[in-house]
């Protein structure tokens, strides 16, 4: 998430009332999660296990809960609770704005696009040309939808990320300030839910087709011309490369990559990243030819036991 205007390190420190290491005028351009940070971004870290990863990332400002040596060319924001202060910054730069109409006055709707009754189109949403948005679709603020997109009834774009910190008093949610981006020629079925990014974008690539009742988690990127069947659950921060086919009731772990033109057969649990150009099945996931052969062997176990008994 980029800020509307550059800020200085001192200004950011004042917003969250914390100490800092670096020049007062050190430039701060935005904030992001570690997998999408760029130069000029703030990243937060609050666990020693991830200190080095954050300090060595592309982020140039690290919001951290320990006074450590500052890497050359970077700056530190020293906070007793980086999670809390990252949320403060999201609230400041992406505050929630209540709606006062079913279709926001700030939304931009393209030519020949049809909005069926009872749609909700949030603030600053952009919808391209020749789209059909069916009844009872909800599109949260800042979503971007390309041309020739069809979205069927009951689908929700832009709900918050499922991302929580476990505190003594209960779960504390990481505030989502990202977007959903739907590229050209995408079809999305009924009752799908696509969460916005925490700070970046959740993206559905051009030409992809989603069946009914699919969940796509925050910051996941689905490539071009993918085919995804009903009841698939894709966790956050996944990369689904181009022309992947995912059949029904597949679930994934977060942060995995499915390679280009892979085929994931129904009811598979994608527990790890897999290479493209192959077919996969089972939980834990294996190449389908291997897994199906194993299942065939398992079916032979009773007869093998009987043979052993009769010897």
């Amino acid at each position: 998430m980029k800020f509307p205007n550059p800020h200085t390190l001192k200004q950011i420190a004042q917003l969250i009332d914390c100490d800092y290491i670096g020049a007062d005028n050190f430039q701060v351009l935005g904030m992001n999660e570690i997998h999408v940070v760029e130069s000029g971004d703030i990243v937060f870290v609050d666990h020693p296990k991830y200190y080095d990863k954050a300090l060595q990332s592309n982020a140039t400002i690290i919001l951290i809960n320990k006074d450590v040596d500052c890497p050359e060319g970077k700056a530190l924001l020293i906070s007793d609770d980086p999670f809390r202060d990252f949320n403060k910054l999201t609230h400041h730069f992406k505050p929630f704005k209540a709606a006062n109409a079913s279709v926001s006055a700030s939304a931009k709707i393209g030519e020949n696009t049809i909005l069926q009754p009872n749609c909700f189109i949030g603030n600053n949403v952009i919808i391209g040309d020749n789209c059909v948005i069916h009844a009872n679709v909800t599109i949260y603020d800042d979503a971007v939808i390309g041309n020739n997109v069809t979205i069927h009834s009951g689908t929700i774009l832009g709900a918050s990320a499922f991302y929580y910190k476990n505190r003594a008093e209960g779960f504390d949610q990481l505030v989502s300030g990202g977007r959903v981006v739907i590229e050209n020629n995408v079809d999305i079925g009924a009752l799908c839910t696509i969460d916005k990014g925490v700070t970046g974008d959740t993206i559905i690539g051009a030409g992809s087709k989603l069946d009914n009742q699919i969940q796509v988690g925050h910051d996941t990127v689905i490539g071009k011309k993918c085919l995804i069947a009903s009841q698939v659950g894709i966790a956050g921060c996944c990369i689904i490369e181009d022309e992947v086919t995912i059949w029904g009731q597949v679930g994934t772990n977060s942060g995995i990559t499915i390679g280009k033109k892979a085929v994931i057969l129904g009811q598979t649990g994608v527990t790890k990243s897999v290479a493209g150009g192959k077919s996969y099945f089972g939980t834990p996931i294996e190449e389908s030819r291997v897994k199906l052969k194993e299942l065939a062997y398992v079916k032979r176990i009773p007869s093998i036991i009987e043979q052993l008994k009769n010897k």
Side-chain angles (χ1 to χ4, degrees):
M1 179 172 70
K2 298 303 180 186
F3 301 152
N5 301 296
H7 282 61
T8 67
L9 183 66
K10 183 176 181 179
Q11 287 173 325
I12 296 297
Q14 288 172 340
L15 285 174
I16 57 177
D17 190 24
C18 76
D19 295 329
Y20 60 94
I21 298 173
D24 288 356
N25 62 351
F26 192 97
Q27 194 172 60
V28 185
L29 303 179
M31 53 190 287
N32 265 313
E33 289 185 276
I34 196 161
H35 62 287
V36 288
V37 287
E38 300 173 343
S39 178
D41 285 345
I42 301 168
V43 70
F44 87 90
V45 60
D46 58 4
H47 194 289
K49 180 179 178 181
Y50 302 108
Y51 285 168
D52 286 345
K53 184 176 181 180
L55 291 164
Q56 295 167 17
S57 71
N58 291 330
T60 42
I61 306 94
I62 297 88
L63 176 59
I64 190 169
N65 58 345
K66 184 179 180 181
D67 190 348
V68 297
D69 291 336
C70 183
E72 185 176 352
K74 299 193 177 187
L76 302 179
L77 293 161
I78 311 298
S79 163
D80 64 333
D81 193 334
F83 189 100
R84 176 201 65 210
D85 288 339
F86 200 76
N87 275 348
K88 283 183 182 179
L89 292 173
T90 303
H91 280 303
H92 178 82
F93 289 104
K94 277 282 188 178
F96 174 72
K97 297 178 182 178
N100 56 17
S102 294
V103 179
S104 170
S106 61
K108 297 179 180 178
I109 312 298
E111 294 183 3
N112 301 315
T113 284
I114 297 169
L115 303 181
Q116 293 284 75
N118 300 322
C119 290
F120 172 77
I121 311 296
N123 298 305
N124 305 313
V125 168
I126 299 173
I127 302 177
D129 300 336
N130 305 309
C131 298
V132 179
I133 313 298
H134 285 279
N136 301 312
V137 167
T138 296
I139 302 176
Y140 284 47
D141 294 358
D142 302 311
V144 178
I145 297 170
N147 302 322
N148 307 305
V149 170
T150 300
I151 304 177
H152 286 278
S153 294
T155 283
I156 299 171
L157 307 185
S160 294
F162 189 74
Y163 192 141
Y164 292 86
K165 184 178 182 66
N166 190 5
R167 299 188 187 273
E169 63 274 18
F171 291 106
D172 189 7
Q173 187 172 34
L174 188 63
V175 177
S176 298
R179 308 183 301 175
V180 169
V181 176
I182 309 296
E183 296 182 352
N184 296 340
N185 304 306
V186 169
D187 292 343
I188 300 175
L191 299 173
C192 293
T193 50
I194 301 175
D195 294 343
K196 62 187 170 186
V198 170
T199 52
D201 296 334
T202 302
I203 301 172
I204 311 297
S208 288
K209 311 298 180 184
L210 278 62
D211 196 359
N212 304 324
Q213 295 181 315
I214 291 168
Q215 157 69 11
V216 179
H218 69 91
D219 294 286
T220 281
V221 177
I222 294 176
K224 302 181 190 304
K225 292 181 65 179
C226 292
L227 194 67
I228 303 178
S230 181
Q231 298 181 15
V232 165
I234 300 173
C237 303
C238 293
I239 297 174
I240 313 298
E241 295 183 351
D242 295 346
E243 299 181 57
V244 167
T245 299
I246 303 178
W247 294 115
Q249 296 186 334
V250 167
T252 81
N253 283 2
S254 63
I256 58 92
T257 297
I258 299 177
K260 183 176 181 179
K261 293 188 176 181
V263 177
I264 312 297
L265 300 182
Q267 295 192 326
T268 292
V270 186
T271 52
K272 62 184 179 181
S273 295
V274 293
K278 298 178 181 180
S279 174
Y280 298 91
F281 176 64
T283 304
I285 190 170
E286 298 285 354
E287 282 191 58
S288 57
R289 60 185 179 85
V290 173
K291 180 65 72 173
L292 293 171
K293 188 179 291 186
E294 289 174 352
L295 292 174
Y297 290 151
V298 168
K299 287 183 179 180
R300 293 174 57 188
I301 289 175
S303 63
I304 292 171
I305 292 173
E306 285 300 317
Q307 291 175 24
L308 294 172
K309 284 180 179 179
N310 294 329
K311 281 188 175 181

